[in-house]
Amino acid sequence: QTVVTQEPSLTVSPGGTVTLTCASSTGAVTSGYYPNWFQQKPGQTPRALIYSTNNKHSWTPARFSGSLLGGKAALTLSGVQPEDEADYYCLLYFGGASVVFGGGTKLTVL
Amino acid sequence: QVTLRESGPALVKATQTLRLTCTFSGFSLSTSGMCVSWIRQPPGKALEWLAYIDWDEDKYYSTSLETRLTISRDTSKNQVVLTMTNMDPVDTATYYCARRRVDGRRGVIMVDFWGQGTPVTVSS
């Protein structure tokens, strides 16, 4: 069973920069895994932020960016705002029926 | 404007079959590249992808749950139905449907719009 691993928790100061990562148990994550990133605030539905590694949706704030970093998918928040405190999930496609979410990262802005 | 809405029972008993409906608008599941996915989230836990059905009516299931899941569509009603057999208390979760879109020209895959989710509790 493929496992997708994210940092369980991260803390960042307002105005700071933080990078969340998404690793695969199968090896290096590439663009062929079409990484997607989602934000979920308590009691809310997940909201899509990034698709296919580094593409933003029309509603995605400019301070969010996606990339590949050291064999992992990465989500970078630059100039973090208090409202960015949330859980963040990555999603990887391994082909056909194999679609796996990461375990999520709880981001605290403190 | 793309919207999705899940509906189904809030409470089922163990061993029963769960039937959930996703009613969507703003897109057609007959359009190339369009898919509807089902995803669930147990209380306080991570998201888990369950299944999706695409514009060609191809169906894909989580390998760990595929023996219990069936996904189908009614294009005329803009609905996708997910059934899960032999429910267990560990299946207690909020169940979401979401649109998945493949843009072959750009070579991208995205999950963009989500429903609000429907909570399901399985009693023993």
Side-chain angles (χ1 to χ4, degrees), chain B residues 4-44:
Chain B
L4 303 99
R5 186 183 77 250
E6 306 87 350
S7 58
L11 181 65
V12 297
K13 295 181 179 178
T15 74
Q16 288 185 335
T17 293
L18 173 68
R19 186 177 189 273
L20 297 173
T21 300
C22 176
T23 303
F24 57 89
S25 64
F27 68 99
S28 171
L29 199 43
S30 299
T31 300
S32 178
M34 294 297 175
C35 317
V36 171
S37 303
W38 282 98
I39 295 151
R40 71 178 179 180
Q41 185 173 36

Side-chain angles (χ1 to χ4, degrees), chain B residues 98-111:
Chain B
R99 187 178 79 164
R100 173 181 179 268
R101 192 156 67 94
V102 178
D103 186 334
R105 182 179 59 83
R106 294 176 56 204
V108 298
I109 297 176
M110 67 183 80
V111 174

Side-chain angles (χ1 to χ4, degrees), chain A residues 25-109:
Chain A
S25 62
T26 62
V29 175
T30 68
S31 59
Y33 290 80
Y34 304 98
N36 277 237
W37 290 91
F38 305 91
Q39 177 193 63
Q40 187 180 33
K41 296 182 179 180
Q44 295 186 16
T45 296
R47 180 174 76 137
L49 291 175
I50 299 289
Y51 64 95
S52 293
T53 305
N54 57 6
N55 296 275
K56 297 179 186 181
H57 295 281
S58 59
W59 54 82
T60 303
R63 61 184 180 275
F64 291 87
S65 63
S67 65
L68 296 175
L69 201 62
K72 301 178 184 180
L75 176 70
T76 298
L77 288 70
S78 305
V80 171
Q81 302 296 307
E83 61 265 29
D84 297 333
E85 185 162 293
D87 293 329
Y88 292 84
Y89 293 94
C90 66
L91 176 68
L92 299 180
Y93 291 91
F94 294 89
S98 187
V99 183
V100 184
F101 280 98
T105 295
K106 182 178 182 60
L107 183 67
T108 300
V109 181

Side-chain angles (χ1 to χ4, degrees), chain B residues 6-8 16 20 25-26 36-38 50 68-69 77 81-82 84-85 87 89 91-92 95 98 100 108 117:
Chain B
E6 306 87 350
S7 58
Q16 288 185 335
L20 297 173
S25 64
V36 171
S37 303
W38 282 98
L50 299 177
R68 298 174 54 204
L69 295 174
K77 293 182 179 179
V81 173
L82 181 77
M84 182 181 291
T85 60
M87 293 293 285
D91 296 314
T92 294
Y95 287 76
R100 173 181 179 268
V108 298

Side-chain angles (χ1 to χ4, degrees), chain B residues 55-67:
Chain B
W55 68 98
D56 256 351
E57 212 163 0
D58 289 326
K59 302 165 187 178
Y60 300 89
Y61 299 101
S62 164
T63 53
S64 60
L65 292 168
E66 61 182 333
T67 59

